[in-house]
Amino acid sequence: MADFSSQRSKEDRRRRSFDTELPDFPHDSSVLLSEDQFLCSICLDVFTDPVSTPCGHNFCMICIKTCWDDCQQSYCPLCKEKFTKRPELKVNTTLREVVEHYKKKSVLDKPEVLCDGCAGVKQKALKSCLDCGVSFCKIHLEFHYNVSKFKKHKLINPVKNLEDYICQKHEKPLELFCRDDQMCVCHFCTVTKHKNHNTVPIEEESGQKKTQLGKTQTEVQQMIQYRQKKIKEIENSVEIRKRNTENEISDSVEVFTALIHCIERSQAELLEVMEEKQKAAERQAEEFIKDLEQEITELKRRDTELEQLSHTEDHLHLLQIYPSLCRPPHTTNWTDISVDPHLSVETVRNTLSQLQKSLNEELTKTINEKTRESVSTELKRIQQYAVDVTLDPDTAYPFLILSDDGKQVSCGDTKLDLPDNPKRFTKYSIILGKEGFSSGRFYYDVQVRGKTEWQLGVARESVNRKGETTLSPQDGFWTVILKNGNKYDANENTPVPLSLGVFVDYEEGLVSFYDVEARSHIYSFTGQSFTEKLYPYFNPCNNDGGKNSAPLIITPVSNTK
């Protein structure tokens, strides 16, 4: 049996100048593997049905069996470890899958290199020799493993552009790397142009470069993961925006439908009023005409009497009724009596004013109902990010009183004897939640009933805990504040209603406050840039002689109906 270990040096087996990256590796695509790791040291070809010996080395099933069949005792051809009993060999299925994957990838990625020593039909080259400057198949490569003179030659995986691996000036293998000039050189280059330069074996430089490539690849993979995560966030935001848009469209249609109905109803009411005014004017005109016609009848009768008396011969009768005939008849003074042909401007104005009032009331009512429904839906969505917040006693202002379960805090009148530490607030009656958040979304509820002053929100980890500061995003605070029992501010003196819910979207830079009971949105900080942990922020404010003694209570989140 030939000594297979002499065919290939340990350095040749384990270290190669030019490694091949194995993309799409089934388990870890970041691993860099050389072709030699897939070669059987007996047949010098890629494994076929690879098996592992007890010492951990791998061979083709047929190769190792043939080797042992020719020997009296079974041993490892590489490390020479002897086995008292011939090992029972089984195909290493995992290695076989990797080798098959490598074979397929090699066929796709590598151009076929043919043996320069073959005459006639050329066989596929197994190695290229940098010293000979040619490529050899398995048969013609044998003398490089058996002849001492050729064992020192530099063999690499077969390549077509072999000249790129040889120094064009000295026609020697490029075995060293000049770190001063950042280029590959041969040994003769180190005694001429690159004399006294910092040169190392290309294997060493390649190893360092691979380490750096590994770090760079990790960074690239992290960048890919971040961007994939960002894509999901954007797609999620678009989906939420789509649902919100659909809801807004639906709500707008309902609002405008209600508005149209209100206008139609008000228009009908206006037309009814105008028609009633017209009918009233017509009734008035009929009465005027009736009175005028009655007066005309009376006047005609008087005219007839006067005509008759003007021709009478009964002088005594004329003289007797003359006084009554000469008196003016009982008629109405029609000088200032008329029916206005135009609709009263005041009437129209009053009617339109009433219409506008009705429209405003109905529209406001509809919008408020829709807003309430929308906020309720929004609350239901964000409450799925509810977290269990517990107060951190190590951050508590010395006058604060905490419940045993860490869910309630109020401010007392007596300073407690507490150890000072970097986390504790010593200037203001502040306490933070135990857990900080540096990504994602979170939501929590706080009961504030019975209090005349309080502050709620979130604070970044690096806020000033010992001295003067302001409750502003610039100083790391995003809060809503109750003052004087009835005035609510969101840092910037913006009046807001009662707050019970706090929601944070770290990536979106959003901090929102909600009155859960009223199902109303209070205030939102948008477009913020968070770069460190955020902690739930609580400030029950001073006791105020017992007026503000009620605690802030962290309550379990119950989904909004």
Side-chain angles (χ1 to χ4, degrees), residues 40-180:
C40 172
S41 59
I42 299 176
C43 68
L44 304 179
D45 204 349
V46 178
F47 290 122
T48 301
D49 292 332
V51 295
S52 299
T53 58
C55 58
H57 293 114
N58 302 310
F59 306 92
C60 296
M61 172 76 83
I62 187 65
C63 291
I64 191 65
K65 281 186 175 182
T66 302
C67 172
W68 287 348
D69 289 342
D70 295 338
C71 301
Q72 294 181 352
Q73 187 176 15
S74 301
Y75 69 97
C76 175
L78 282 176
C79 68
K80 304 301 183 183
E81 180 178 342
K82 296 180 179 180
F83 311 118
T84 56
K85 181 180 178 181
R86 182 167 178 170
E88 182 179 350
L89 301 176
K90 293 184 178 180
V91 175
N92 186 329
T93 56
T94 300
L95 180 57
R96 182 174 62 184
E97 290 177 4
V98 175
V99 171
E100 291 302 319
H101 181 85
Y102 174 79
K103 288 180 178 178
K104 293 178 181 178
K105 196 66 181 174
S106 298
V107 171
L108 293 175
D109 292 347
K110 287 186 176 181
E112 189 176 68
V113 179
L114 301 179
C115 176
D116 294 313
C118 290
V121 179
K122 293 183 177 294
Q123 299 297 315
K124 180 181 177 181
L126 185 63
K127 293 289 180 181
S128 293
C129 178
L130 296 180
D131 293 273
C132 299
V134 292
S135 300
F136 298 105
C137 65
K138 180 179 178 181
I139 295 175
H140 290 103
L141 193 63
E142 287 295 328
F143 65 91
H144 275 80
Y145 295 136
N146 299 322
V147 181
S148 299
K149 176 183 177 181
F150 295 104
K151 286 183 180 180
K152 296 180 180 180
H153 285 196
K154 189 73 172 181
L155 298 176
I156 64 171
N157 295 332
V159 292
K160 282 191 174 182
N161 54 332
L162 194 56
E163 64 277 4
D164 292 342
Y165 297 79
I166 301 174
C167 176
Q168 298 301 307
K169 184 175 183 180
H170 302 107
E171 296 184 351
K172 295 295 181 180
L174 297 171
E175 297 181 296
L176 301 171
F177 184 81
C178 177
R179 289 177 172 172
D180 293 334

